[in-house]
Each structure stands twice: as structure tokens, then as C-alpha cells.
Amino acid sequence: MTSIDLNADLGEGFGRWHLTDDERLLTVVTSANVACGFHAGDAATMRRVCALAAERGVRIGAQVSYRDLAGFGRRAMDVPPAELAAEVAYQIGALEVFARAAGSRVSYVKPHGALYNRVVRDEEQAAAVVAGVLLADDALPVLGLPGSRLLELAGEAGLPPVPEAFADRAYTDEGTLVPRGRQGAVVTDPETVVERSVGLARLGEVTSLSGTRIAVQARSLCLHGDTPGAVDLARRVRERLETSGVRVEAFV
């Protein structure tokens, strides 16, 4: 039977501000990408989300990013490689404290926002992320875009690479994500997102923004937690996957 992991970005609040419905999303997903304080998330939020995830058997992942709270980690930045590697390790270490306190562990690492897109092609920044992961734990799987430099370098370094796909993001014909600033970059129709999820899981294919069918082989499917109606959409995706014969389970 085909299987797929469902991951979502969680813990993206800060102080009194709450962005994602962490508690309800943790009843649907199998992996939680927890913000580690650099683009969102604070100590109390990280601790709370780790406790909820551990209680529900959801894997905890470190969602590392550029230090960009004001821009939610979505602004392009140039961070020296040594500094970026240290900051990636720092974020993983901070989350590991709360994961362990909850009786769990950080099970994988996933870059966020601008860093995620940068390491698709940028050799130097991708190598810095891999160096940071190795500094924290030399066995952590790394989640990223299929064919990215990040996953290639992670594999070469002995870190398990885990390709992921996005049902609610438009793809270019080359298999990269359409930048958020472009029209059509985000798929908003719920039924379309559900159908794309099943196609990605069962066939490893999706239709690009230009209308071309492209191959996207993924072991994990990302559901954005900050999308309006995110919880209901996540439930619909999971239900349709399971009724289509796809087993939903964590990749670790």
C-alpha cells in the first residue's frame, strides 16, 4: 500500500499572537514542523506544541529559518555560512530541550520560508544548513524539495533526505514552487487541494501552473497551518487519502 506523511507548520505564534490552530491540527497530521523562535515561536509556545505532539504520537520537526521575526522568515537574506550553520544548530537545540521534556525527540529538520526556497539551488546556503544539522545531530532526516541541493548535500553527508510536496502551492514546469508574490502561487480551492493531494500520493504527479503534468515524488505532504480553514482542509485531505487506499503515517 502507498503511504504518505502529512506535515504542517505549527507553533507559529509569538507571545499573545496565535497564528495556527495547533491543538486541532495535531489531531490530523503525523509530523509537526515546530517554529524555533527565529521566524515565529517563543519558548512557551515551543514547549506547549511539543507536549501536545508527544501526547498524540506526532513526530516533532525543527522548522529552522533565517532570523527574521518581522518578516516571518519570508524575506531574502544573505547570512554568512558559518553564522547560518550555528543558527540552524541553535534552533534545533532549543527545540530538542522541549521535545525531550515532553518525552519525545526532534525527529527531523525542515527549513522555512526564504531559507527553504534558497537552498533549492544555493550550494553555499544548503551546505550551511547541512553543517548546522550535523552539528546538532548527525542522524537527523532533512525535509525538502525533491531535486534540491539541500537534499543532495544532506544525502552525501549521511543525513536521510526526505522529499516533500505541497498540494496547495503551484509548481513551475521545473518542479520548483511558484514564488508567493506571483498570481496563482497558492491553490485556494479546497477540492482542488484534496485532488492534488491524492494525485501526489498515488501517482507522484501534479499539474504545474502552466498546465503541464510534472513528476513530484514525495514521502511527505505539507499542509499549511496558516491557510484559512486549515483544520477542515487537513481533515478532508486525510480522509480522501485514506479512502483512496493511501496509508497516512510518519516517515520516521
Side-chain angles (χ1 to χ4, degrees):
M1 176 182 287
T2 301
S3 64
I4 194 84
D5 169 71
L6 289 182
N7 77 78
D9 302 343
L10 301 178
E12 291 189 315
F14 192 84
R16 60 176 291 189
W17 308 107
H18 300 277
L19 181 64
T20 51
D21 190 341
D22 302 322
E23 187 161 357
R24 294 175 68 205
L25 279 166
L26 282 167
T27 66
V28 183
V29 300
T30 45
S31 295
N33 318 316
V34 183
C36 300
F38 271 41
H39 74 280
D42 53 51
T45 301
M46 291 162 68
R47 183 181 184 185
R48 176 178 59 80
V49 175
C50 283
L52 287 169
E55 179 183 305
R56 292 167 187 180
V58 175
R59 302 296 186 269
I60 296 170
Q63 191 181 30
V64 299
S65 68
Y66 289 128
R67 184 159 38 185
D68 180 27
L69 271 174
F72 197 59
R74 288 179 174 166
R75 297 185 294 190
M77 305 185 83
D78 282 313
V79 180
E83 184 176 333
L84 179 59
E87 292 187 345
V88 166
Y90 179 91
Q91 292 175 77
I92 298 168
L95 189 65
E96 177 72 5
V97 168
F98 299 117
R100 282 179 177 269
S104 184
R105 296 286 305 274
V106 171
S107 297
Y108 65 94
V109 177
K110 174 183 173 179
H112 163 82
L115 181 58
Y116 186 97
N117 292 322
R118 181 78 174 265
V119 297
V120 171
R121 292 197 177 94
D122 190 308
E123 175 103 9
E124 189 175 65
Q125 295 282 282
V129 171
V130 169
V133 177
L134 289 169
L135 187 60
D137 184 335
D138 62 7
L140 280 177
V142 176
L143 209 61
L145 206 65
S148 64
R149 288 301 291 145
L150 175 66
L151 292 195
E152 291 173 5
L153 293 176
E156 292 172 8
L159 299 169
V162 183
E164 72 165 343
F166 297 80
D168 61 352
R169 290 293 307 277
Y171 281 83
T172 67
D173 289 350
E174 291 72 40
T176 57
L177 299 179
V178 174
R180 281 185 175 269
R182 285 182 52 188
Q183 187 173 10
V186 179
V187 180
T188 56
D189 178 64
E191 183 58 26
T192 301
V193 173
V194 171
E195 290 177 357
R196 287 163 64 92
S197 300
V198 174
L200 285 162
R202 296 196 63 190
L203 306 174
E205 293 181 350
V206 72
T207 301
S208 72
L209 189 60
S210 72
T212 303
R213 293 293 288 177
I214 61 171
V216 180
Q217 298 294 332
R219 178 63 186 87
S220 184
L221 190 62
C222 181
L223 303 170
H224 282 102
D226 57 347
T227 301
V231 176
D232 291 338
L233 179 58
R235 285 179 175 156
R236 285 182 62 178
V237 167
R238 178 159 185 159
E239 287 171 3
R240 186 72 65 83
L241 287 169
E242 291 176 334
T243 57
S244 300
V246 178
R247 183 171 56 239
V248 177
E249 62 180 6
F251 59 85
V252 288

